[in-house]
Amino acid sequence: MHYETVIGLEVHCELATKSKIFCGCSTKFGGAPNSHVCPGCAGFPGTLPVLNRSVVEYAVRAGLALNCDINRVNGFERKHYFYPDLPGAYQVTQFFAPVCVNGSVELANGKRVAIKQIHMEEDAGKLVHDSFEDATLADYNRGGMPLLEIVSQPDMRSAAEAVEYVEKLKAILEYTGVSDCKMQEGSLRVDVNLSVRPMGSEKLGVRTEMKNLNSMRSIARAVAFESARHVEVIEEGGQLVQETRRWDDDKGESFAMRGKENAQDYMYFPDPNLPPVMIGEEEIEAARASLPELPEAKKQRYVTELGLPEYDAGIITGSKHLMELFEATCRVEIFDAFDKTVAKEAANWIMGEVLNQLKATQTLPEDMSFDPKHLANLIRLVQGQQINRGTAKKVFAEVFAHNVHPEAYVKEHNLALVTDSGAIRDMIAKVVAENEKSVSEYKSGKEKALQFLIGQSMKALRGQAPAQEVKKILLEILAE
Ligand SMILES: [Zn+2]
């Protein structure tokens, strides 16, 4: 029998506000344990929360960018559970009326993944299990950090769709500036809800949830593993249990953690210390006006205005950091803004050498540190035929790693092309004189002999002369 996988995702995204959601503590990543903590975010009785209005602003901006409706009146509820990373024994979140509802993200195949809702909430602290034997330590720096939880409908049908949805969502959130979305630092975490059903069936199967996946690769692997596990249990006549499972990325398997609590177990009720959140029309319009050009619109513009291939435009606009590198390179003053040939050339460099270097050095786009001016300078050196492409690639590796200035580097290492045709002619004449046998073979009609002579000439010029020029001069000398 054929099965269909049904996937819904809950994405937690840490907001880039300077202070926490209900107190003035810093949201800076890292810091000594419990150094970004006050009685409020440490859950002391008698403290009162005060909502950080920037969190609402950011939530509205994210909601608008994700095509959501904004709930003009929304509020906060307490979700009760006991766990040592949650000192107040409840998490302040939104349950009855979330800030944004009914959004969507469009995939490349035209499918719209519906976003059911986005709610604001506070993060929990962090438990450190392995610093001491027989002891677990609690670090509450993360407690009270502002989060958006973005809940999709179960609209995805494969690992590829799930990954594409997260990539698109991440790019949109990065563009709007609401979050840095660093998955490796936990500022974007994904819970995967998954079930399988016989192809063609309308009824949803039993659902399991895998929490806190923090890379695209682990999302893809977790979906593949878990859907195969579901099919296996069904085919063997077993019974799937609705539960939360832990994804172990090292083992490549999921493990049962605990049964899924029903909503009632949390005893949600409105937080009596937090008044309803009212959002005015002017606030919504201001947020709308503050939105930058979003990835999809930018991609279309790159295709129509700059003539970039759709694929390239998609890759570049798919990452805020690649997009910024591209635009900064094109904007460097030595070029006319967005000259089409420069744009194409810059795009080729990013699609080629930049991606190669990122992969080879396992660097994330946000960690690139070279000056876009240097990439522009390199493009100009190639366009002006001062260096050939092979040399340019080697120089770029130095730009990428050490932010060298290409022109200075080329000069220092004597990498410039020989453009003095007199010097080229002298060198080639010497090669012709030293290879009488090949010359006579060429004259008796052997094409291969010409290739050999071109090769020898290029070698004599250390590869630093324009190939066309070398061939032209060689033919002239041979015709004499
Ligand atoms: Zn605090």
Side-chain angles (χ1 to χ4, degrees):
M1 196 188 292
H2 287 294
Y3 293 89
E4 176 177 62
T5 306
V6 177
I7 304 159
L9 299 179
E10 290 165 21
V11 176
H12 286 90
C13 146
E14 213 153 67
L15 295 177
T17 56
K18 290 197 172 56
S19 54
K20 292 186 177 179
I21 183 168
F22 298 121
C23 65
C25 290
S26 166
T27 53
K28 254 209 167 95
F29 181 75
N34 298 309
S35 60
H36 302 161
V37 175
C38 70
C41 58
F44 281 33
T47 55
L48 285 174
V50 177
L51 175 62
N52 175 356
R53 195 70 199 186
S54 304
V55 172
V56 181
E57 257 175 61
Y58 280 36
V60 171
R61 214 189 301 161
L64 293 174
L66 293 166
N67 310 305
C68 290
D69 298 328
I70 307 299
N71 266 333
R72 267 61 170 176
V73 182
N74 58 90
F76 286 100
E77 278 75 39
R78 291 181 179 182
K79 176 183 182 179
H80 296 84
Y81 64 97
F82 173 76
Y83 203 65
D85 65 4
L86 192 72
Y90 61 84
Q91 179 193 28
V92 180
T93 181
Q94 298 196 291
F95 184 69
F96 298 117
V99 61
C100 310
V101 291
N102 301 329
S104 64
V105 168
E106 192 176 339
L107 304 185
N109 63 11
K111 178 190 251 189
R112 293 186 92 84
V113 175
I115 289 173
K116 182 174 166 240
Q117 65 179 57
I118 302 177
H119 54 262
M120 303 179 276
E121 63 185 24
E122 59 177 347
D123 206 346
K126 205 150 88 185
L127 298 181
V128 182
H129 296 294
D130 35 19
S131 293
F132 290 99
E133 212 175 321
D134 298 328
T136 287
L137 306 176
D139 176 5
Y140 296 117
N141 281 352
R142 201 178 66 183
M145 295 268 251
L147 293 180
L148 291 184
E149 181 175 331
I150 302 165
V151 184
S152 87
Q153 296 286 7
D155 288 348
M156 287 151 278
R157 296 289 174 271
S158 65
E161 283 189 359
V163 167
E164 188 189 344
Y165 167 79
V166 177
E167 281 174 344
K168 291 245 150 85
L169 189 64
K170 180 170 180 278
I172 292 169
L173 295 170
E174 283 173 348
Y175 272 55
T176 55
V178 301
S179 171
D180 64 18
C181 295
K182 288 188 177 169
M183 294 183 92
Q184 72 283 9
E185 289 181 7
S187 48
L188 193 84
R189 320 193 282 270
V190 179
D191 300 346
V192 176
N193 288 296
L194 180 149
S195 63
V196 302
R197 63 185 174 193
M199 200 61 105
S201 162
E202 290 287 305
K203 198 167 155 270
L204 289 168
V206 174
R207 168 168 62 94
T208 57
E209 181 177 18
M210 290 175 290
K211 283 193 170 292
N212 288 332
L213 300 174
N214 62 0
S215 74
M216 300 297 175
R217 184 169 170 269
S218 58
I219 295 168
R221 293 174 75 215
V223 167
F225 174 87
E226 189 63 4
S227 56
R229 189 185 70 86
H230 280 223
V231 169
E232 201 178 305
V233 171
I234 296 168
E235 295 266 288
E236 284 172 354
Q239 187 64 51
L240 285 160
V241 194
Q242 183 173 328
E243 62 186 354
T244 300
R245 296 177 70 85
R246 186 173 61 86
W247 171 252
D248 186 322
D249 210 39
D250 295 327
K251 294 201 173 76
E253 291 176 37
S254 70
F255 297 94
M257 264 170 74
R258 55 181 150 105
K260 175 83 184 169
E261 301 87 343
N262 294 317
Q264 278 157 341
D265 291 341
Y266 288 128
M267 302 280 284
Y268 284 98
F269 73 74
D271 193 306
N273 291 332
L274 287 160
V277 180
M278 319 287 264
I279 302 174
E281 295 310 313
E282 17 1 299
E283 202 173 348
I284 293 172
E285 284 324 304
R288 203 187 299 281
S290 78
L291 288 181
E293 184 180 35
L294 294 171
E296 194 54 36
K298 211 178 255 298
K299 177 185 157 190
Q300 292 313 325
R301 196 167 59 74
Y302 282 3
V303 171
T304 52
E305 277 182 24
L306 305 177
L308 295 193
E310 192 155 334
Y311 179 76
D312 296 14
I315 300 279
I316 294 169
T317 58
S319 152
K320 185 192 180 195
H321 310 282
L322 292 180
M323 177 277 287
E324 285 176 344
L325 171 64
F326 172 72
E327 298 203 346
T329 304
C330 294
R331 279 208 191 98
V332 168
E333 63 276 16
I334 56 174
F335 303 126
D336 296 333
F338 280 116
D339 175 309
K340 273 192 196 178
T341 54
V342 170
K344 184 75 188 92
E345 206 44 49
N348 286 344
W349 273 92
I350 290 171
M351 295 298 292
E353 287 312 295
V354 173
L355 293 183
N356 281 347
Q357 287 294 333
L358 287 173
K359 203 172 161 198
T361 58
Q362 301 215 328
T363 305
L364 293 164
E366 57 259 46
D367 296 327
M368 286 187 295
S369 57
F370 65 89
D371 189 336
K373 272 185 193 158
H374 293 170
L375 178 54
N377 180 244
L378 199 55
I379 291 171
R380 191 174 65 161
L381 292 178
V382 176
Q383 284 188 329
Q385 297 200 319
Q386 285 161 279
I387 55 173
N388 63 29
R389 280 183 186 272
T391 303
K393 282 184 186 179
K394 284 179 202 144
V395 175
F396 179 71
E398 295 299 317
V399 171
F400 187 90
H402 307 296
N403 198 27
V404 300
H405 187 282
E407 207 163 338
Y409 186 86
V410 163
K411 211 173 203 175
E412 191 186 328
H413 292 82
N414 198 20
L415 298 170
L417 287 174
V418 181
T419 46
D420 172 1
S421 45
I424 295 175
R425 181 173 290 272
D426 291 349
M427 199 63 95
I428 296 175
K430 205 170 150 226
V431 168
V432 167
E434 283 167 0
N435 290 281
E436 276 175 31
K437 190 166 158 255
S438 300
V439 172
S440 58
E441 278 174 4
Y442 166 71
K443 288 188 171 160
S444 63
K446 280 193 182 159
E447 267 306 299
K448 254 192 181 163
L450 179 66
Q451 289 311 316
F452 175 76
L453 289 168
I454 292 175
Q456 289 303 106
S457 304
M458 285 303 282
K459 205 170 154 192
L461 290 154
R462 291 187 297 135
Q464 286 168 216
Q468 283 305 320
E469 180 85 352
V470 169
K471 189 176 177 185
K472 188 175 140 249
I473 294 174
L474 177 63
L475 288 172
E476 281 170 16
I477 292 175
L478 289 172
E480 276 166 9

